[in-house]
Amino acid sequence: MGSASLVATQPPGFAAISKLRLLGAPPRLLSSNSTLSESSGKGKHFTLAIHKSLNNVSTENQIESQVPMTGTAFDFKGATISLTDELLSSSKKVTLVRHGLSSWNEESRVQGSSNLSILTETGARQAERCRNALIDINFDVCFASPISRAKSTAEIIWHGREQPLTFLDSLKEAHLFFLEGMTNAEAKKKYPELYTKWREDPANFHVDGIYPIHKLWGRAREAWKKILLTPGERFLVVTHKSILRALICTALGLGPERFRAIDVHNGGISIFTFNRRGEAMLQSLNMTAHMYSDHVYHL
């Protein structure tokens, strides 16, 4: 009696199918005609069908599909948005740091874009802790806000490194008009409606038709593009809480209405990786172990 046997060999065209999948070919390229050819034993037809499908894959799609993905996902195109609108030279890793404690942090004043709030002694020690925690990481460039408290923090962290320290206006803090310099208690008492709007609905907070958080989102996108298109693979960014919120949210595709969904402490460290399409994956948010110990990060 005849019996069917299973042969432990790859069917004709199997390698071509694998190549198609690696190139990111859409499922429709693995057509029912190919399957029929295989099942009927017509390996020659099967292989020809696969080669024809391969030839139909555009060069652009092949390039895109060979772009390294962040994390371990095979492909997550569309899960986040490109921050560059063009392919990067390589994948990138960006470490974000909030400045150390400032004088107006200590006094509970509205800081905004004012340059009058300076790094305190406690803030300087926090910056030193950040420097020690990141000592084993080889950054290509440090980008920082030119506003005093962030500038001083960056200079402490970057001390002893030879790579460039670059100050970007796009990393400045949100401008909060006449609220800047007032204690939170004073601002709440003098401008109750405006202050409440700032605290509870910051996306719709505005003065004379100007919406600071919307402007912040625009600057965050500008900063990301500048950072990611800079030659190199590892970058450090030292800046302020509100612009950090905007950087994190824009990278994740979140709008200004999510502004207070993110919190970052003084000296807090967050990390993003980006694939070559400029799409982000958040790896760590507001790490502060180094603030309470001698922890050193190996990222």
Side-chain angles (χ1 to χ4, degrees):
M1 179 182 294
S3 61
S5 62
L6 295 175
V7 180
T9 58
Q10 295 177 348
F14 182 89
I17 290 177
S18 301
K19 187 174 181 181
L20 265 177
R21 286 173 178 157
L22 286 173
L23 288 173
R28 65 177 179 275
L29 293 182
L30 305 180
S31 65
S32 57
N33 290 336
S34 299
T35 305
L36 286 172
S37 297
E38 180 186 11
S39 62
S40 61
K42 298 177 181 178
K44 183 177 180 181
H45 293 162
F46 178 91
T47 305
L48 286 174
I50 294 300
H51 284 315
K52 184 176 181 181
S53 296
L54 276 171
N55 290 333
N56 288 335
V57 178
S58 71
T59 303
E60 181 181 356
N61 285 342
Q62 291 184 29
I63 292 173
E64 274 199 1
S65 300
Q66 293 171 23
V67 173
M69 298 296 120
T70 55
T72 56
F74 179 74
D75 193 352
F76 64 97
K77 185 176 181 181
T80 58
I81 60 172
S82 172
L83 293 170
T84 56
D85 297 322
E86 59 182 276
L87 285 180
L88 304 179
S89 59
S90 64
S91 57
K92 312 274 184 175
K93 180 170 284 191
V94 182
T95 300
L96 308 174
V97 181
R98 184 185 173 194
H99 64 75
L101 187 75
S102 69
S103 54
W104 285 8
N105 284 150
E106 231 173 20
E107 297 166 8
S108 190
R109 294 183 183 275
V110 179
Q111 295 188 112
S113 59
S114 173
N115 206 33
L116 299 178
S117 177
I118 62 174
L119 198 65
T120 63
E121 290 184 7
T122 297
R125 287 195 295 270
Q126 290 174 334
E128 288 169 359
R129 283 190 169 277
C130 290
R131 180 184 65 203
N132 295 335
L134 299 171
I135 195 70
D136 288 344
I137 303 174
N138 295 317
F139 295 107
D140 295 301
V141 182
C142 176
F143 297 95
S145 162
I147 295 176
S148 174
R149 55 195 184 272
K151 181 176 183 288
S152 297
T153 300
E155 288 171 342
I156 291 171
I157 294 175
W158 209 243
H159 180 72
R161 295 183 186 252
E162 297 180 355
Q163 295 84 354
L165 171 56
T166 303
F167 298 102
L168 298 180
D169 285 344
S170 54
L171 290 175
K172 286 182 177 180
E173 188 59 300
H175 179 50
L176 298 178
F177 301 93
F178 45 79
L179 295 182
E180 294 183 357
M182 301 180 71
T183 66
N184 284 281
E186 289 169 346
K188 185 176 182 179
K189 183 177 180 179
K190 189 170 183 178
Y191 304 103
E193 291 185 12
L194 194 64
Y195 181 80
T196 299
K197 178 67 75 174
W198 163 240
R199 298 301 302 177
E200 298 182 5
D201 187 15
N204 291 311
F205 167 80
H206 63 94
V207 175
D208 296 331
I210 299 174
Y211 291 74
I213 300 306
H214 288 263
K215 283 186 168 290
L216 198 66
W217 250 242
R219 285 200 288 105
R221 294 188 185 97
E222 178 187 336
W224 272 130
K225 194 163 188 176
K226 171 66 177 176
I227 293 164
L228 294 174
L229 292 177
T230 297
E233 296 184 358
R234 286 178 176 263
F235 304 118
L236 179 66
V237 176
V238 182
T239 187
H240 313 268
K241 185 175 185 175
S242 292
I243 184 63
L244 281 171
R245 283 171 159 167
L247 288 168
I248 293 166
C249 284
T250 52
L252 297 176
L254 302 175
E257 69 279 358
R258 307 309 303 164
F259 176 76
R260 295 207 187 278
I262 304 292
D263 196 14
V264 183
H265 298 161
N266 292 112
I269 295 175
S270 304
I271 301 169
F272 277 97
T273 54
F274 293 85
N275 62 19
R276 285 190 59 208
R277 285 195 291 261
E279 297 168 332
M281 180 177 284
L282 179 62
Q283 291 197 314
S284 304
L285 177 64
N286 193 31
M287 297 189 296
T288 55
H290 58 289
M291 291 286 102
Y292 312 102
S293 68
D294 295 327
H295 186 75
V296 176
Y297 297 106
H298 301 280
L299 309 169

